[in-house]
Amino acid sequence: MHILSSAKTLQVSYIGMETQEAEIKPTMRIMLKSNTEMLDEVMVVAYGTAKKSAFTGSASTIKSDKIAERAVSNVTNAMAGQVAGVQITQSSGQPGTSASIRIRGIGSMSASNSPLYVVDGVPYDGEISAINPQDIESMTVLKDAAANAIYGARGANGVVLITTKKGASGAPQITVDAKWGSNKRGVPNYDVMTDPAMYYETAYRAMFNSKYYAGSSAAEAYAFADKTLLDDKNGGLGYLVYTVPEGEKLIGTNFKLNPNAKLGYSDGTYYYTPDDWYDEIFGKNNLRQEYNVTVSGASDKMNYYVSAGYLDDNGIIANSGFERFSGRAKTDYQANKWLKVGTNIAYTYYNIKSPSGQADWGSTGNLFYISNLIAPIYPMYVRNADGSIMKDNRGLTVYDFGSGSTNFSRPTLMGNPAGTMALDDQNTYSDQLSSKWYATITPLEGLSITATLGANVLNQRANSIGNPFYGSASTSGGYVSVVHQRLFDINQQYMATYKTTLADMHNIDVLAGFESYSHKIQYLGGSNTMMYNPYIGELNNTINTPPSVSSYTHEYTTMGYLARVQYDYDGKYFLSASYRRDASSRFHPDNRWGNFGSVGLAWLMTKEDFMSGIDWLDMLKFKASYGVQGNDNLGSSSVYYYAYADQYTVTNSNGDFAVAFAFKGNKDITWETSHAFNVGFDFETFDGRFNGTVEYFNRKTSDLLYNQPVPISFGYSSIPKNVGSIVNQGIELDVNGVIYKNRNLEWTANFNLTHYTNKITELDESVRETGIKYSNAIYAVGGSLYNAYLPVYAGVNKENGLPQYYVDPDNGDYTITTDYEKAQQSDLGSTLAKVYGGFGTQLSAYGFDLGVQLSYQLGGKVYDGTYEALMQTGDLMGQNFHKDVLKAWTPENPNSDIPRMNVSDVSSQRMSSRFLVSSDYLSLNNVTLGYTLPKRWTQALGVSSLRLYVQGDNLAVFSCRKGFDPRQFLGLGSSTGSGNFTYTALRTITGGITLKF
């Protein structure tokens, strides 16, 4: 602050505040108001920066302080609930994996819906987990065409701009951050039976009912249950884990465990007692540790930022985790008045230890599937007769695989991945080098010409071992797989910008340029069996001949010419327009080029004279935009690199060449095109204490890229086509406010919500009438990409306890039947959430800071396949039961909505609307508590700042059912949503210290 005085008045001014003049008095108190113009935030946009007031598009920014609150190995996971219009789906909790990000709905039927990532102005196709979140200054999500159309085809699904940190003016700053914590399972299991007695009793009743309800006498039904209960060959449980006095039954005619039975049973060779699989696998803490060091600074000619980081993020199951070493060097140098050069080089080594099969429903190698669904009567380990856990002659723990490992066998869930997980090994070692070099010349005032070269190299080697001792690989003497991939991306940009002001009122900013992108992937892989050394994962360690080997090289190229004009009149009226002409190598040369562009308008209404008297309103801006973009990414399969061409495989036919048809191409496919409209208001009130944005968007995607199935008589199963149109439309609200603020305390809060609908408006003529049908979904005109298509459950027949279904509601037939085969699938509408978003609050006082961040979703549906399996009392004996089966129909409980327990009722738990449940949730994503020591304490130690903190990530999720995590699913589409058979989300508790010198 500086004070200019005269005889009678004082003039008080301060950067960012309106200058005030006041009459001199003996005692004075002068309040300064914020100057919105001077504090006009500069935000990162496509190919540069812009003042927030002049921006005509839609964008949201997450700053580094919000990112730092999350203990994540992949920065995409830190976006949950932070940005309006952005939906985060985390299908796997495996450390290092990325979240799926959808911006303003689902714009494509089967082509990519993922956004384009741009790091410091250069499109980025590397692994997001290779970017250290501590290096990120901000993440800006560009959501509408005015914001991202200039990126052409690659920006059709939105753009995420990642800006890395740089040095600040002044003395060099050294920052050291260290944190230690633990990972545990973040979502519990369903409310399943954990008492062996309860499980035996329930299974026994279901067996008894199968005969009794079929007309047998009670005595005959008891005899059948007694005979079948432990007979694994005829639908029984296999294992007896109770010692029962000779001549007595395990379960009495009262359906209760014999009170004389004692848990634990020995047959003289083995001892049988159940293990708590959940506790054995997930009961321990798993260390997470992270260390980061940065050195940064700036002078009038140079800006520099150097960092090094290490992360060891252990997973919650054996041989699972993520380790990363990262380093970054970023410099900008003003060589002279007309030349500025710079570079940004990042190297990351990381290893993802990711056991295979952990997302496969029904896989005996899926530890989450087995441990979540296995009945509480089965051992995890093989035990000696005295009860001790058995060791084999190698000193390895012997696990119970349910078949052949003991005298008993399990009828279902035959595997034991807990036994193979510690012996199998799967590592993906990666070296990634990302770099950017640029030079900018300014030959005359206002004109800048920049050449930028971005290069990304990823060398990746994956080694997998299937051990030769136990599990499926043991039958072939062990298994080895080695895969090497090399990815090389080059991005070239040549841009010219010109900025000028005419008559002090007309501000013009013109951009023109050329950009090209080249992607090359080289693959070499092989596998073989019969290992010599069980711990060496190399092909030379195997002797089976011949080994399976393959290799290929694929290339993908785009290029485009672009231009943009931004104009404003007197900082009040704003116009932007962009154009881009792109070409993609995925299409035939006749259909390779596409034309895209946008136009945006904005009006800073508070600059008008008629609004000058509204003191509480600091800023009100109206904005609208329209644009066209393209999408060329039909899918991740390698055949889509050349989707326009027929493709063949070469094989050996008795020593001669043979060619087999592999893929039917289509030379007529071309760009999937999005037409996006956006309109909204930005506002700021009460001296900047409250601000926000409200917007409406409409995005129509036409010429949808789709791999359409065709009749088998064609000689191939599908063909890529442009098949129809989809419309996504909705509203967004994003508000931020200062609830209370004084000299020592500040309390702020934020809230955002998004509502949108997804509708198919057109399909190809060949499927327009019938739609595209899947087992549980349908793509039909008038519906969405996430419409459920299931038989409709009609409750339980009160007379006999059988499940009932409506025959064909879609065609007006509401006849009720107990014959599942007569029930037709019905369109149950969209399963997408009606509203989703996030909210949070931050409080700082006297050196303490507290932050809480949550996300939510309301009004959607998802199919809970795990609950369906746990309610099965039919042919899945040996699988656990949800405790809800205890509420099943009985003659004494005729009003139950749960069918009777009966091992013979094959249709009692079939796929239907019964298991289509609410996907509503509230997720407590993060709580952070920190304390920054007073400077008078730290300066004595030679430290400019010292902060201690503790943070909890993914602390809780509240949903319709314990154990069910809707965050894993976007909605019910062409694949079945399910419960927790995949790698569950992690709960991470971390403590740390940050030092600045």
Side-chain angles (χ1 to χ4, degrees), residues 68-71 134 176-183 286-292 311 926-931 947-953 955 987-994:
E69 289 178 354
R70 302 297 305 274
Q134 294 291 321
V176 179
D177 182 78
K179 61 184 74 172
W180 305 265
S182 65
N183 291 329
N286 301 275
L287 177 65
R288 186 187 194 279
Q289 54 182 328
E290 183 175 4
Y291 310 95
N292 290 284
L311 170 65
N926 176 264
V927 176
T928 298
L929 175 64
Y931 178 65
R947 178 174 179 263
L948 304 171
Y949 61 91
V950 60
Q951 58 190 48
D953 270 273
L955 295 176
R987 178 185 292 117
T988 304
I989 308 296
T990 305
I993 181 172
T994 302

Side-chain angles (χ1 to χ4, degrees), residues 711-726:
I712 195 170
S713 58
F714 282 28
Y716 47 88
S717 61
S718 62
I719 183 171
K721 296 184 72 174
N722 298 100
V723 299
S725 301
I726 294 173

